[in-house]
Each structure stands twice: as structure tokens, then as C-alpha cells.
Amino acid sequence: MASGTLTIDLDAIAANWRGLDRMSGPGVQTAAVVKADAYGLGVTRVARALAGAGARRFFVALAEEGAAVRQALGPGPQIAVLSGHMAGDTEMIQDLDLTPMLNSLEQITRHLESLPGHPFGVQLDTGMNRLGVEMVEWQAVAPILIEAGPELLMSHLACADEPDHPQNAAQLKVFHDMTDGTGLPRSLAATGGILLGPQYHFDLTRPGIGLYGGLPHGGAIPAVTLSLPVIQTREVARGEAVGYGCTWVAERPSVIATVAGGYADGLLRSLSGKAQLWDGDTPCPLVGRVSMDLITVDITDLPEVPRALDILGPHQGVDALASMAGSIGYEILTALGPRYTRRYQERPA
Ligand SMILES: *Cc1c(COP(=O)(O)O)cnc(C)c1O
């Protein structure tokens, strides 16, 4: 075995989608956000599992990602592209029946001129100042655009993971101001917005991270384990150092396992000296610096040398690992590198 094994529990992802669908409430459609290769977990298998659970609308960041989802699912499900209709994407949008969420007057013009009659949505900027049509522009184009029949008016919350943040109510109000009376389907909530409550749900919710077991959805079922093989071990005497920079020095005679996996595999360098790896239920400290392809682990207290150690699993999930690295679960997941063997767990249908 050369690389680590990333095990992805597709049943957990499907169960998380069903849970978020129930929380979204009756009469509200629940989409699935599968951008960035389904948050690093592999979009082909993940999108099929979500379609199996009942998802009919999928969101990706880029048209190329939409192509991969169409390939996985075939015709039928709607695939929405959050970056909208970018220059050079027209053919792909048409051929693969993607639905761009138009973000600017430039994109609106490009879309209506190059693909008249092709489905689209509009992303509105309600205060995040990142993507979307702004209030003044919207007031100018809304009358014409509503005529053209957008499939969705959507916006995105900047602070949904902080329920008490005043930005949530402020954006909700702007979204109402921009969309009330249009009679068109609307969407404001990602995972965090679903948790904020029904007034944020509108007609469609768009969870991503909650499907994959991450915060802010505390009730999500963890979906990944990551097991890293031990390549070799060595005994170090008291006073000897381990790894780049000699940042860790043995305080007792120690057994150090060198494990396959490093920052090139998404084990962030800021985890140096902070994370634990697990042999079943026993934690073993990561010692010294994370290097590109390797980490070193103090296994002195284990009765024997394990074949592999887990860095993500029941004792240490993506958010626990993220907080040790000063990051968020989203970054841990999407940083998981291409070198792992991805194993999918799924109950036979
Ligand atoms: C990424 C993203 C989502 C999903 O967000 P989560 O926090 O992962 O649920 C929804 N909508 C937009 C516009 C996004 O960029």
C-alpha cells in the first residue's frame, strides 16, 4: 500500500441530505452543492448517491464541474452554475444543459444574446459583496429579466454560521426588498441558513458542508475516515530531534512512526505538533513538522506497531482537525489531495 485510504460513507451523505431536506420543511425543495469535486470527496459517486436519496437540483462553482455532474447523472437533474455564464462557457452550458446563475449585467447580456430561451437564474448581492447583481443594477434590469423567466432568484449569506449576527436579518430584508412580488422561485439558505429557521428557506435550500458532515450542522453524520500507512519506525534516544527544523525533541526514549501523508495531501502544515493520530481508540501525538509527503507520530505507548494510523475518524472529525490547524472543516475536506485511495461505502441498493 502506497498512499493513505480515504473512506467516504455515501450512506451518511445521503442521510445528511434527507435530514436537511426534512429541516428545510414541506414545500421547500432541497438541492445539493457539489462544487470542488463534492468538497473533495469525489463528485461522480457523491452526486449519484445524492440523486439516489432524492436530490434533483445540484449546484457547482464552475461549468467544468457541471460537466462532470452531468456525466455522472445523465439528463434530467438541474445543474446550476454559481459563477454564472462566463466568457467561453456558452457551448458547454448549451450542450450539457447547465443552468447559469447570472451575476452581472455583462453575464445577463451574454446569456440572453448567445442562448436566448436557455434556462438561467439570477444571483443577487444582498450584502456579501462577492458575487451577484447589485440593487441598483437589479432595479434597472428586473422588469426585462423577469419577463425572460429566470428559474431562480438566489443570494448568499455572509454570516449564517453565526445565528446572532445582525448581517443575517439585514440580508434577509434586502433579499425581500429585491424579490418580493416577482412571483419567482427564490433561494437564500446554504447549510447555515437552513439552521437559521424557516424564514430563511424560501422555495429552495442549497446545503453543501452539512451533507459532508461538517459544521455549522452539528447534527450531521460524519462522512469520512482517513487512514495513513506507517512506512517505517525508529527508536530515538532522549534528547534526539525529529523532522525539519528539529522542533520536537524526545524527552524520553521514544518510538517514532513515519507515516505517508503530508501537506501535499492536505494535512495542513499548521497541524505541526498539534494533531493526534489514532490507533483504534488510542491517540498518538503528531510530533515535529508536517512535511510535504510525511508526518511523524509518537507511538511509544502503543503495545505494537500498527499498519496504519487514522487522522480523521470517530475520535477526530474534520472540524476537530480544522480547529487544531486554525481552519474550518471546509478547507480540510477540499484540501484532501488526489493521492489517497478513495473507498466508497454504500449499502447495496
Ligand atoms: C458553497 C455555497 C453553498 C453551500 O454552502 P455550505 O455552507 O457548504 O452549505 C451554497 N450557496 C453558495 C452560493 C455557495 O457558494
Side-chain angles (χ1 to χ4, degrees):
M1 180 167 55
S3 64
T5 302
L6 181 67
T7 303
I8 296 138
D9 184 345
L10 294 172
D11 294 329
I13 294 172
N16 286 332
W17 183 84
R18 284 190 291 264
L20 288 159
D21 187 42
R22 276 192 299 276
M23 289 167 68
S24 295
V28 178
Q29 196 180 11
T30 305
V33 179
V34 294
K35 62 193 179 188
D37 199 28
Y39 290 44
L41 301 184
V43 75
T44 300
R45 297 295 304 270
V46 168
R48 284 183 188 150
L50 288 164
R56 289 290 166 268
R57 290 171 84 152
F58 295 82
F59 283 81
V60 293
L62 301 168
E64 282 81 0
E65 296 177 346
V69 178
R70 183 62 74 208
Q71 183 91 35
L73 298 181
Q78 188 192 72
I79 300 168
V81 180
L82 292 165
S83 60
H85 190 147
M86 291 169 69
D89 283 350
T90 304
E91 225 178 38
M92 200 181 283
I93 288 169
Q94 179 168 40
D95 293 351
L96 298 171
D97 188 20
L98 308 179
T99 306
M101 300 289 117
L102 306 177
N103 287 299
S104 62
L105 298 185
E106 188 193 7
Q107 289 197 348
I108 289 166
T109 309
R110 178 181 296 131
H111 187 76
L112 296 181
E113 285 180 355
S114 63
L115 295 177
H118 185 97
F120 68 96
V122 182
Q123 180 155 209
L124 302 168
D125 186 350
T126 53
M128 190 170 182
N129 288 309
R130 187 180 68 165
L131 266 186
V133 177
E134 291 183 272
M135 179 71 97
V136 181
E137 301 169 324
W138 177 239
Q139 282 167 340
V141 297
I144 317 158
L145 211 55
I146 290 168
E147 231 18 40
E151 310 243 313
L152 190 69
L153 301 181
M154 61 165 285
S155 187
H156 195 49
L157 297 167
C159 304
D161 58 341
E162 296 175 59
D164 298 328
H165 201 296
Q167 175 80 355
N168 295 318
Q171 286 193 256
L172 178 63
K173 180 176 183 311
V174 175
F175 193 55
H176 274 294
D177 290 346
M178 292 175 91
T179 62
D180 279 356
T182 58
L184 294 167
R186 297 184 283 184
S187 175
L188 182 60
T191 303
I194 295 173
L195 301 169
L196 290 178
Q199 71 272 34
Y200 287 87
H201 295 176
F202 293 89
D203 303 294
L204 176 92
T205 58
R206 318 180 304 270
I209 192 71
L211 305 172
Y212 310 112
L215 290 174
H217 185 19
I221 305 165
V224 294
T225 47
L226 177 55
S227 189
L228 306 174
V230 174
I231 302 172
Q232 72 167 171
T233 58
R234 59 172 32 31
E235 291 178 11
V236 301
R238 187 164 172 268
E240 281 194 285
V242 172
Y244 281 123
C246 297
T247 55
W248 185 83
V249 177
E251 287 172 358
R252 57 172 179 168
S254 303
V255 183
I256 301 299
T258 303
V259 166
Y263 59 74
D265 303 297
L267 305 178
L268 308 180
R269 191 164 172 279
S270 50
L271 290 168
S272 298
K274 291 189 183 143
Q276 329 244 43
L277 282 83
W278 294 79
D279 176 33
D281 296 329
T282 309
C284 307
L286 191 168
V287 296
R289 291 234 175 108
V290 174
S291 47
M292 187 185 293
D293 317 299
L294 299 168
I295 53 181
T296 39
V297 184
D298 182 353
I299 60 163
T300 312
D301 295 328
L302 294 183
E304 54 193 288
V305 176
R307 284 165 47 93
L309 290 161
D310 295 341
I311 192 161
L312 288 172
H315 299 293
Q316 182 170 275
V318 291
D319 290 292
L321 196 63
S323 79
M324 293 168 194
S327 183
I328 55 175
Y330 298 75
E331 188 183 21
I332 296 292
L333 285 174
T334 57
L336 294 169
R339 293 197 287 199
Y340 301 124
T341 302
R342 279 164 168 72
R343 268 189 44 214
Y344 293 93
Q345 277 178 345
E346 194 170 29
R347 218 179 331 101

